[in-house]
Amino acid sequence: MTRLDGHGLDHVFHRVRADLLDVTRAWTDSSGRADTGAAAVLELADPTGERPGRWLNAVGRPARLARLLATVEPEADVVAATVTRGTGALAGEVLAGWGLGPATTWDRMVTEVAPPVPDDGAPVVELLDLDRDVDEIEAVLTEANPDTHAGARGPRARAARWYGVREPAAGDVGGGALVAVGSATPVPAGAAHLGAIGTLPAYRGRGYGGALTARMTADGVAEHGLVTLGLYDDNDGARRMYERLGFAVAHEVETWRPS
């Protein structure tokens, strides 16, 4: 991946997170551009002030990252720390000292190649109007992806472009209710970050999620050159779909939260 040579504080997933939250402080052990194994930590804060505390976003090889975390002194309570997978086994005492315990493991995936967008006969993907469709979007996400942090009423919702697939309406012009939704947010990394992706359980297996993600990815690659997303590491169904669309894992992570 030509766009993923950044490391340390220039890591693409630092730049993605820095668009969603404000950077308050940063640490790195990088010795320069040639140090491709550099570790780096960002301390992040909610710019809206609605969620107090600090988030830590950490990248780098686990051994180096564990050593760097031992030097970090957060200026407020840590509400979450996302670190390269395997780091917690080496830095468990540091993370526990901030009142954190292991919570989730997930993967960050990327692509620079636009997938083919399905032609005739495929589900129709439309751009949504947040003012008009916000209630429908939220209704789909509540059932299809209740754990998402990127809802249609969140602080970053209007920075995103929202997409959807509607249930075919028999005998009518146009479609029926929304059954699948997703969002694409441009970020300073020169990328589009996909989130809030969900298909109602009753409509899964019909290609709606694949068509939706293919359209968002194709648009994102065309406009930004790079598309990123995240998924829980045990979500095998979503992983197979993303891999078919050309995504590859770029960063395996674990998140620690207050225990």
Side-chain angles (χ1 to χ4, degrees):
M1 293 260 174
T2 58
R3 301 281 302 285
L4 297 178
D5 57 351
H7 66 282
L9 293 173
D10 195 40
H11 193 286
V12 63
F13 287 109
H14 269 335
R15 288 179 280 152
V16 167
R17 292 293 289 169
D19 185 59
L20 304 175
L21 297 165
D22 287 340
V23 178
T24 55
R25 288 189 299 172
W27 299 261
T28 185
D29 67 355
S30 176
S31 62
R33 293 293 302 174
D35 187 4
T36 57
V41 179
L42 294 185
E43 183 183 77
L44 303 159
D46 181 358
T48 69
E50 295 177 0
R51 297 177 294 177
R54 294 292 183 265
W55 284 256
L56 298 181
N57 194 69
V59 302
R61 294 174 182 167
R64 292 183 63 170
L65 187 50
R67 289 194 294 271
L68 183 62
L69 284 170
T71 71
V72 171
E73 297 182 1
E75 64 180 12
D77 290 341
V78 180
V79 296
T82 297
V83 302
T84 303
R85 198 174 306 161
T87 302
L90 304 173
E93 290 187 8
V94 172
L95 294 164
W98 297 328
L100 306 178
T104 55
T105 53
W106 47 290
D107 294 337
R108 290 162 161 171
M109 303 185 78
V110 299
T111 186
E112 295 177 302
V113 179
V117 176
D119 295 324
D120 295 342
V124 176
V125 180
E126 65 178 74
L127 287 174
L128 302 177
D129 182 320
L130 200 57
D131 291 321
R132 180 194 67 205
D133 300 317
V134 64
D135 290 338
E136 277 196 283
I137 294 171
E138 284 292 290
V140 172
L141 291 176
T142 296
E143 184 174 355
N145 191 356
D147 294 329
T148 184
H149 299 295
R153 291 193 174 92
R156 295 289 300 162
R158 292 194 176 275
R161 179 182 295 168
W162 290 85
Y163 296 76
V165 177
R166 295 186 181 276
E167 179 184 22
D172 295 331
V173 176
L178 277 176
V179 297
V181 299
S183 68
T185 304
V187 294
H193 185 69
L194 306 188
I197 301 171
T199 302
L200 292 176
Y203 293 88
R204 291 172 185 167
R206 305 186 188 186
Y208 292 173
L212 178 75
T213 308
R215 168 71 184 279
M216 294 193 295
T217 303
D219 287 356
V221 170
E223 295 174 20
H224 304 284
L226 180 69
V227 178
T228 70
L229 57 83
L231 78 160
Y232 292 117
D233 70 331
D234 60 355
N235 191 345
D236 294 331
R239 182 185 307 278
R240 287 192 294 270
M241 178 183 72
Y242 297 143
E243 288 175 343
R244 286 197 301 270
L245 295 176
F247 284 88
V249 174
H251 191 206
E252 296 179 334
V253 302
E254 55 190 69
T255 295
W256 291 56
R257 296 186 181 278
S259 54

